[in-house]
C-alpha cells in the first residue's frame, strides 16, 4: 500500500512540477507576449531562443532542467520517508522514472496553461541528471554530434531520444554492473519517455521530410534558411 502511494505521489509531483513551463512566464515577463503565439508556437527552448533571445532562453533552460531534477529528488525522498520498501541505499531509480515520465506529461500538457506546452526534451533529459548521470552525458553527446553534423535541433532531439532506452540499458548493465533484469526494467521505463518526446516532434519530422525544417545557428535569430 505504501509503495502504491509512493508511485501516486511521484506521478502527481512530477506532473505538477512539469506543468510549470518555464518559457511561458519568462517570455510573458520580458516581452509581454505568449511564446505559444510566436514562431513555431512551441513553448520550448529553441523557439524561445529564436523569438525571445538569449536571456529568455537561458532562464528557460535553467527552469526546465531544474524542474525535472526536483521532481525526481522529491519522489525519491517521499518514497524513503514513507518506508515504502525502497530507500536511497536500495533502488529508488524506478520511482525517479515514474516522476520523470509525468514531468514530461506535465510539460507537454501543462494544467496551468490550458494543456498546451512544449515537447519535453529538456525535462526528459534533466531526469537523467539524477537517475543516471552517465546516460545524461551520453545523450548530450549524441545530441551535440547530430546537431553539429545536421544543424537540426529537432533531428538531434529525435535521435537522442530514440537512443535513450538503449543507452539506459547499456549504462546500467555494462557500466554500472546492475543485473540484466534490473537494467531491462530501466530500459522499459525509459521507453514511454522517449516515445512521448519523439511523438511530439511529428510535425518536425514532416518538415524534415519536405526539406522545410529550419536549421539552427548561434548567429542572431538562430535560424538559417
Amino acid at each position: 500500500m505504501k509503495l502504491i502511494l509512493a508511485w501516486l505521489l511521484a506521478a502527481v509531483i512530477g506532473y505538477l512540477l512539469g506543468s510549470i513551463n518555464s518559457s511561458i512566464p519568462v517570455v510573458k515577463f520580458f516581452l509581454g507576449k505568449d511564446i505559444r503565439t510566436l514562431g513555431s508556437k512551441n513553448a520550448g527552448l529553441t523557439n524561445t531562443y529564436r523569438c525571445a533571445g538569449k536571456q529568455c532562453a537561458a532562464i528557460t533552460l535553467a527552469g526546465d532542467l531544474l524542474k525535472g531534477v526536483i521532481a525526481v529528488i522529491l519522489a525519491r525522498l517521499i518514497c524513503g520517508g514513507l518506508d515504502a520498501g525502497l530507500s536511497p541505499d536500495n533502488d529508488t531509480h524506478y520511482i525517479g522514472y515514474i516522476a520523470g515520465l509525468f514531468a514530461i506529461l506535465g510539460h507537454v500538457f501543462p494544467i496551468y496553461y490550458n494543456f498546451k506546452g512544449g515537447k519535453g526534451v529538456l525535462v526528459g533529459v534533466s531526469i537523467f541528471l539524477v537517475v543516471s548521470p552517465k546516460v545524461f552525458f551520453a545523450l548530450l553527446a549524441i545530441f551535440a554530434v547530430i546537431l553539429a553534423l545536421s544543424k537540426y535541433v529537432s533531428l538531434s532531439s529525435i535521435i537522442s531520444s530514440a537512443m535513450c532506452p538503449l543507452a539506459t540499458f547499456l549504462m546500467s548493465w555494462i557500466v554500472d554492473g546492475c543485473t540484466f533484469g534490473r537494467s531491462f526494467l530501466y530500459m522499459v521505463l525509459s521507453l514511454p519517455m522517449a516515445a512521448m518526446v519523439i511523438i511530439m516532434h511529428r510535425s518536425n519530422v514532416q518538415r524534415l521530410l519536405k526539406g522545410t525544417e529550419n536549421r539552427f545557428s548561434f548567429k542572431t535569430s538562430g535560424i538559417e534558411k
Side-chain angles (χ1 to χ4, degrees):
M1 185 63 182
K2 288 182 179 180
L3 185 56
I4 294 175
L5 179 59
W7 292 341
L8 291 174
L9 288 173
V12 171
I13 289 171
Y15 178 76
L16 293 178
L17 282 173
S19 290
I20 305 172
N21 194 307
S22 305
S23 66
I24 297 175
V26 168
V27 175
K28 188 70 174 178
F29 178 80
F30 284 99
L31 300 184
K33 298 180 180 180
D34 188 339
I35 187 62
R36 295 167 297 177
T37 65
L38 304 175
S40 67
K41 298 179 173 57
N42 176 55
L45 178 64
T46 304
N47 195 42
T48 299
Y49 176 75
R50 287 169 173 165
C51 299
K54 295 178 181 179
Q55 183 180 25
C56 288
I59 299 173
T60 296
L61 173 64
D64 284 348
L65 286 175
L66 190 60
K67 69 183 181 183
V69 170
I70 293 175
V72 175
I73 291 175
L74 284 180
R76 285 185 172 185
L77 290 175
I78 288 172
C79 186
L82 288 173
D83 192 22
L86 299 175
S87 69
D89 296 324
N90 192 350
D91 178 22
T92 57
H93 275 64
Y94 78 87
I95 288 292
Y97 282 109
I98 293 172
L101 172 60
F102 280 86
I104 295 174
L105 272 171
H107 183 83
V108 175
F109 305 109
I111 192 172
Y112 312 125
Y113 304 108
N114 299 318
F115 303 100
K116 185 181 179 182
K119 297 183 179 179
V121 177
L122 273 180
V123 65
V125 171
S126 71
I127 292 158
F128 290 97
L129 270 170
V130 185
V131 173
S132 178
K134 296 183 183 71
V135 173
F136 170 82
F137 287 110
L139 296 179
L140 188 62
I142 293 170
F143 179 92
V145 169
I146 300 301
L147 181 61
L149 293 174
S150 70
K151 299 297 190 296
Y152 289 119
V153 173
S154 56
L155 182 63
S156 306
S157 300
I158 292 168
I159 293 177
S160 56
S161 296
M163 293 299 295
C164 176
L166 179 60
T168 299
F169 176 77
L170 293 177
M171 288 295 180
S172 177
W173 187 36
I174 297 176
V175 180
D176 293 336
C178 294
T179 64
F180 180 88
R182 180 173 290 183
S183 302
F184 185 79
L185 172 63
Y186 296 160
M187 181 184 73
V188 170
L189 289 170
S190 70
L191 279 170
M193 293 192 293
M196 192 180 307
V197 172
I198 293 172
I199 290 171
M200 291 306 298
H201 280 82
R202 57 190 181 278
S203 61
N204 300 88
V205 172
Q206 293 174 355
R207 289 195 294 270
L208 284 167
L209 293 174
K210 293 178 181 178
T212 57
E213 180 77 334
N214 288 320
R215 293 179 184 271
F216 182 82
S217 171
F218 284 107
K219 297 178 182 178
T220 59
S221 67
I223 300 177
E224 289 180 358
K225 295 298 185 181

